Amino acid sequence: MDGDSAAASGIDVPDQLWDSDRAEVARSLLTSGVRCFAANGFHATTTRDITSAVGLSPGALYVHFRSKEHVLFEIVHTGHRRSLEVLEEVEPAVDAREHLRTLVRRFVAWHAHHHVVARVCQYELAALSDQHYEEIRELRRRSTATFQDVVKRGVAERSFADVDVHRVVRAVLSLGVDLVRWYRSDGADSPQQLGEFYADLALGMVTGARP
Amino acid sequence: MDGDSAAASGIDVPDQLWDSDRAEVARSLLTSGVRCFAANGFHATTTRDITSAVGLSPGALYVHFRSKEHVLFEIVHTGHRRSLEVLEEVEPAVDAREHLRTLVRRFVAWHAHHHVVARVCQYELAALSDQHYEEIRELRRRSTATFQDVVKRGVAERSFADVDVHRVVRAVLSLGVDLVRWYRSDGADSPQQLGEFYADLALGMVTGARP
């Protein structure tokens, strides 16, 4: 259990993550929001914390966002859309095993590469308004469905064991999500290496243990 | 990705978790601390939040604890000691597969049963003082070592595939830890059922996928 979550210092939040039609100031406020929320949590972060990190007064936030909760929502919504995109652009493979491997590899690599944003996406959901939370839930359902579809297919084709699809997919996603707690960019595994490794593990999970 | 982390309401933190030589008031403050930290995070919780939930004034906390950080430390230390105990009391099995299954079953069931305390143990480490954090790190090293020892043995005996022990153990623990994010006592899986299911998954992870 090494590589524990530490204060998110010296972290990179790629500017390209944000919608390009957003003003530069809005994008820098989103990046600052990610850093503040990841380090101290939503509730302990003030609008002043977010704006002062980019050299602005608190009022500047309201030019671009209706509230601190709207900053959180745009971060969480963007993170979920981006990680869903890398799943939905996968072409179905001939082989269910290869298809599952590709999904896991991409999901894990995305979460490792964007582990700071992803940490906010996973740990601050309870701070969203009910309506915002419902929008995020729908994106999460779609992510889950891409995995469920291929596992169902693998079970039907007998490429996989007769696993409990709901539970095994929940576990595969859980493995991918938890790395945002401990992943560090300066650690031993690149996002791609971790993706490959977890793709192998996921295959072991759906085929069952060798005798 | 359903079963998202929600505000920790109506949660149970068993009083038996705390050392029995602690005064009843101290134990109730620890339980209140768990609930506050799990719901809002350490930084957004005041000593008044912790004491008012049990009908006391803020000053009452300092009769039993030196600071809010000491409340957190006692929670995190107790949680880590308890979850380590359930691993260290396992008698080595003749079979490495059976031994690993038992460790995973116990680790997962403990984390599911104590998911609220465990959430504080996993997500609030960055708020600990350096010295307190080092003490927790040592307990975490011992937990990890119990899993590494049996996986090393299984690899040496060829009961398992020639896996990367460090990385596969990190993944098995990650799976066990992440459930504290989404587990709910009123969900479909009891702690024991989840433990059994994850023991099977862990075996698939260390033996490698069936061809």
Side-chain angles (χ1 to χ4, degrees), chain A residues 18 40 56 61 75 125 166-167:
Chain A
W18 313 120
N40 300 310
L56 297 170
L61 187 132
I75 290 167
L125 292 174
H166 166 79
R167 287 183 171 78

Side-chain angles (χ1 to χ4, degrees), chain A residues 1-2 4 43 97 122 133 140 143-144 166-167 170-171 174-175 178 181-182 189 197 207 209-210, chain B residues 1-2 4 43-44 97 122 133 140 144 166-167 170-171 174-175 178 181-182 189 194 207 209-210:
Chain A
M1 280 200 264
D2 45 4
D4 298 313
H43 294 297
R97 293 166 75 103
Q122 299 299 332
Y133 180 65
R140 291 170 79 89
S143 279
T144 303
H166 166 79
R167 287 183 171 78
R170 184 176 63 184
S174 196
L175 203 52
D178 189 58
R181 179 176 56 84
W182 55 262
D189 299 294
F197 184 70
T207 60
R210 283 168 185 266
Chain B
M1 283 200 264
D2 44 4
D4 298 312
H43 294 298
R97 294 166 74 105
Q122 299 299 333
Y133 179 66
R140 292 169 79 88
T144 303
H166 166 77
R167 287 183 170 79
R170 185 176 62 185
S174 197
L175 202 52
D178 190 57
R181 181 177 53 86
W182 56 260
D189 298 295
L194 204 61
T207 60
R210 283 169 185 266

Side-chain angles (χ1 to χ4, degrees), chain B residues 4-157:
Chain B
D4 298 312
S5 70
S9 58
I11 54 177
D12 50 340
V13 181
D15 187 64
Q16 306 92 288
L17 188 71
W18 314 120
D19 288 340
S20 55
D21 58 359
R22 268 299 207 175
E24 196 182 332
V25 176
R27 297 202 309 268
S28 68
L29 288 168
L30 289 167
T31 296
S32 173
V34 169
R35 290 177 177 155
C36 292
F37 298 149
N40 300 311
F42 176 81
H43 294 298
T45 296
T46 63
T47 55
R48 184 181 294 275
D49 294 332
I50 298 171
T51 55
S52 69
V54 290
L56 296 172
S57 64
L61 187 131
Y62 299 98
V63 176
H64 301 278
F65 302 94
R66 281 167 59 193
S67 68
K68 186 178 72 161
E69 192 269 346
H70 279 78
V71 176
L72 176 65
F73 174 65
E74 188 158 335
I75 290 167
V76 172
H77 193 254
T78 305
H80 278 82
R81 269 192 299 127
R82 297 290 185 226
S83 72
L84 180 59
E85 277 163 20
V86 303
L87 298 177
E88 292 191 336
E89 73 195 18
V90 173
E91 297 288 337
V94 176
D95 180 19
R97 294 166 74 105
E98 228 12 81
H99 194 178
L100 178 63
R101 284 187 55 88
T102 305
L103 290 178
V104 172
R105 198 164 52 222
R106 284 174 158 247
F107 186 79
V108 166
W110 190 90
H111 280 79
H113 186 59
H114 297 92
H115 60 282
V116 187
V117 174
R119 199 178 297 159
V120 177
C121 288
Q122 299 299 333
Y123 298 154
E124 302 295 337
L125 292 175
L128 291 174
S129 71
D130 288 350
Q131 193 193 324
H132 282 158
Y133 179 66
E134 274 311 309
E135 284 191 53
I136 301 303
R137 238 174 114 89
E138 180 52 29
L139 295 174
R140 292 169 79 88
R141 277 195 204 101
R142 283 168 59 190
S143 280
T144 303
T146 60
F147 285 90
Q148 285 174 337
D149 289 348
V150 66
V151 175
K152 273 181 207 156
R153 191 188 132 203
V155 171
E157 293 174 358

Side-chain angles (χ1 to χ4, degrees), chain A residues 8 13 33 59 105 127 133 156 196 202:
Chain A
V13 181
R105 200 164 48 222
Y133 180 65
E196 286 293 337

Side-chain angles (χ1 to χ4, degrees), chain A residues 8-94:
Chain A
S9 59
I11 54 176
D12 50 340
V13 181
D15 188 64
Q16 306 91 288
L17 188 74
W18 313 120
D19 288 339
S20 55
D21 58 358
R22 268 300 208 174
E24 197 182 331
V25 176
R27 298 203 307 270
S28 68
L29 287 168
L30 289 168
T31 296
S32 174
V34 170
R35 290 178 177 155
C36 293
F37 298 150
N40 300 310
F42 176 81
H43 294 297
T45 297
T46 63
T47 57
R48 184 182 292 274
D49 294 332
I50 298 172
T51 55
S52 68
V54 291
L56 297 170
S57 64
L61 187 132
Y62 299 97
V63 177
H64 301 278
F65 302 95
R66 282 167 58 196
S67 68
K68 184 178 75 160
E69 192 269 346
H70 279 78
V71 176
L72 176 66
F73 174 65
E74 189 159 332
I75 290 167
V76 173
H77 193 255
T78 306
H80 279 82
R81 270 192 298 124
R82 298 289 184 226
S83 73
L84 180 59
E85 277 163 20
V86 304
L87 298 177
E88 291 191 336
E89 71 195 18
V90 173
E91 298 287 336
V94 177

